[in-house]
Amino acid sequence: IRRAFLDGAGILPSPEEVRSFLADASPEKRTRLIDGLLSRPEFVDYWAYKLSDLLLVSSRSLPSNAMWAYYNWIRASVAANKPWDQMARELLTASGNTLSNGAANYYVLHKSPIAVAENVAMTFMGFSITCARCHNHPLERWTQKDYYQMANLFSRVGVKNGSDRGDLIVYPARTGEINHPRLNAPLEPRPLDGRPLPLDSPADRREHFAEWLVSDENPFFARAMVNRVWKQFMGRGLVEAVDDIRDANPPSNPALLSALTREFTSQGFDIRHLVRTIMSSSTYQLTSVPTATNGGDLTYHSHYAARRLPAEVILDAIRQVTGVREDFPGFPGRRALQLPDAAVDSYFLTAFGRPPRVTAFDSERQQEPSITQALHVINGDTINRKLASDKGLIHALLAEGADDDTAIERLYLAAFSRYPSADERRALAGALKTAGAEGGAASRRRALEDLAWAVLTSREFLFNH
C-alpha cells in the first residue's frame, strides 16, 4: 500500500487506510486500492506535476500569469483524463491568446524552430536529434537533412503582443522558412520518416506534423510515453535512459514494450489505463528484497527496485507525518506537488534534486544522494522545526495522553505504513519509559521527538521499497 500510494499519487496512506488495507482479506483489495488511487485529487496533482516537468512549466521562462495558464491547462487535462495524443495535438497546434489558451505558451517557451524541433523530439518521441543540427552522425538514424526538414515544420509560427503583461498571441504565419546551413536554402517541411509538405502549401505545418506524430506511421510517440510511465513505477525504463530511444539502445524486453504500447494505443492513449495496467501487474507487486540469484539484476525487473523518493514527495511526506505544513513563498497552503512552478524558492527541494525545467532531459532530476542532503536531514530545520511545533504530531500525542505503545504504532503506521515488530515495540517502549521516568514530561517529549526524527531520517522512510 505504501509503494502504490507513493508511486501512484506521491503521498503516504494514512494510518487508518493502512489498518483497513491490512485487515482486508478480500482477493480484490489491491484492485480496489489502485482504482481508488486513480480517482483521488492527489493523483491529479502528482501527474500534473510530472507533466509540468516534461513540458517545462516555469516562471523563469514565462510571466507568472502565463505560467499559471500553462499549468492550469496541464492540470485540467490530467483531471479530465485527456488522452495523451489529444494533449500533444492541442499543445503543438495551439493558437490564440496565451492567457486563455495555456497550451499556446509552448511557443513562448521555445522561441525558434530549432528549439521547438529539438524539444518535440525529446518530449514526445524520447530521443535527441540535436547532433544532426551540425552533421550526419555515422551511428545515428537521423541526418542533417531530416533535422532541417523537421525544423521547417515550425518556421511559420508567429507570436505578437496582446493587450496585457504576459498576454501574447500565437498564430500560424503565412511565410517563414529555415535554411539548411550547407545548402543555404529551405527544404520541404517533413516529419521524421513522414510525408513532406510542399514549400508553397498554405496548410498549417504544425497540423501536418501533429497528425503524423500521433499516427500509426510514427512508432515513437506511444512507445516514449509507455517507457516514461514504466520507469515511474519500476525505477528504470524498458529503454534506459527514457530520453535515449534509438536503434543502438534497444529495450531490455522488446516484447513487453511492444505489448504495453499496443495496449496503450488500443485504449485511446489513456494514461490512467496504462498506470492501472502496470500497477496491477505481478511484476510491480514483486518484493523489493532480492534473492541470492537476482540481487545484481538492475535491468530485468526480477524484483522491485528500491529507490529514494523524489524531492517533492519526501517533503510532502514529512509534512504528512508531522502534521505541520511547509510554507512556500507566494503559495500559502500548497503541498510541494501542488506547486505550478519549479522556480518556487525551497532549499530542501533544490538540495534534493528538483529539476530546473530548462530542458526535457530526464537527467535534469537528480536522484543521487549528497552530503548536502544528509546534513540538511540531520541538522536542518525542515524536520526539526516540524517536530518541535505545537501544531504537529508530537504535541498532539502528548495532548491526547497517548501511551508509549500507541505513539510508536501511530508513528510507524504514518511513516512506514506498517506495524512495528515485537522487537521494535519492546526496544522503543523501553527507551521511552526510561526517558519519562528520568526526566518527566519534558524528557518524554524530547524522546518522542528523537524517535520521530530517527524514523523520518531512516532509509525506510526516504526510500520507496
Side-chain angles (χ1 to χ4, degrees), residues 269-325:
F269 298 90
D270 184 338
I271 292 178
R272 288 195 196 193
H273 177 81
L274 177 61
V275 167
R276 182 184 292 107
T277 300
I278 294 173
M279 292 184 75
S280 301
S281 69
S282 59
T283 304
Y284 180 66
Q285 296 176 14
L286 289 173
T287 179
S288 62
V289 180
T291 67
T293 57
N294 68 16
D297 171 31
L298 301 176
T299 304
Y300 299 107
H301 308 288
S302 55
H303 58 278
Y304 180 83
R307 58 194 184 276
R308 204 209 73 196
L309 296 168
E312 302 84 351
V313 176
I314 295 175
L315 190 53
D316 282 348
I318 293 170
R319 166 185 172 154
Q320 193 173 340
V321 173
T322 62
V324 181
R325 74 184 189 185

Side-chain angles (χ1 to χ4, degrees), residues 257-435:
L257 181 56
S258 296
L260 281 172
T261 302
R262 287 194 301 271
E263 179 74 8
F264 184 45
T265 54
S266 69
Q267 295 298 317
F269 298 90
D270 184 338
I271 292 178
R272 288 195 196 193
H273 177 81
L274 177 61
V275 167
R276 182 184 292 107
T277 300
I278 294 173
M279 292 184 75
S280 301
S281 69
S282 59
T283 304
Y284 180 66
Q285 296 176 14
L286 289 173
T287 179
S288 62
V289 180
T291 67
T293 57
N294 68 16
D297 171 31
L298 301 176
T299 304
Y300 299 107
H301 308 288
S302 55
H303 58 278
Y304 180 83
R307 58 194 184 276
R308 204 209 73 196
L309 296 168
E312 302 84 351
V313 176
I314 295 175
L315 190 53
D316 282 348
I318 293 170
R319 166 185 172 154
Q320 193 173 340
V321 173
T322 62
V324 181
R325 74 184 189 185
E326 186 77 9
D327 290 322
F328 298 104
F331 299 90
R334 285 183 171 257
R335 297 184 299 113
L337 286 172
Q338 292 174 323
L339 297 174
D341 188 3
V344 176
D345 184 41
S346 171
Y347 179 82
F348 184 96
L349 294 180
T350 300
F352 276 79
R354 171 182 58 178
R357 294 181 180 171
V358 176
T359 73
F361 278 103
D362 183 65
S363 57
E364 268 206 349
R365 177 174 291 279
Q366 296 297 314
Q367 289 291 97
E368 295 300 314
S370 69
I371 295 297
T372 300
Q373 294 169 11
L375 290 175
H376 185 69
V377 165
I378 295 168
N379 300 315
D381 63 359
T382 299
I383 293 176
N384 293 318
R385 176 170 41 84
K386 289 178 171 56
L387 293 178
S389 171
D390 61 3
K391 299 177 182 178
L393 173 67
I394 303 302
H395 184 83
L397 290 171
L398 293 171
E400 295 167 11
D403 61 27
D404 292 342
D405 191 64
T406 299
I408 294 165
E409 182 173 292
R410 191 181 303 181
L411 184 57
Y412 265 63
L413 288 171
F416 297 152
S417 304
R418 67 173 177 87
Y419 291 105
S421 69
D423 287 344
E424 287 169 328
R425 283 183 191 270
R426 189 180 310 108
L428 295 174
L432 291 176
K433 182 178 180 180
T434 300

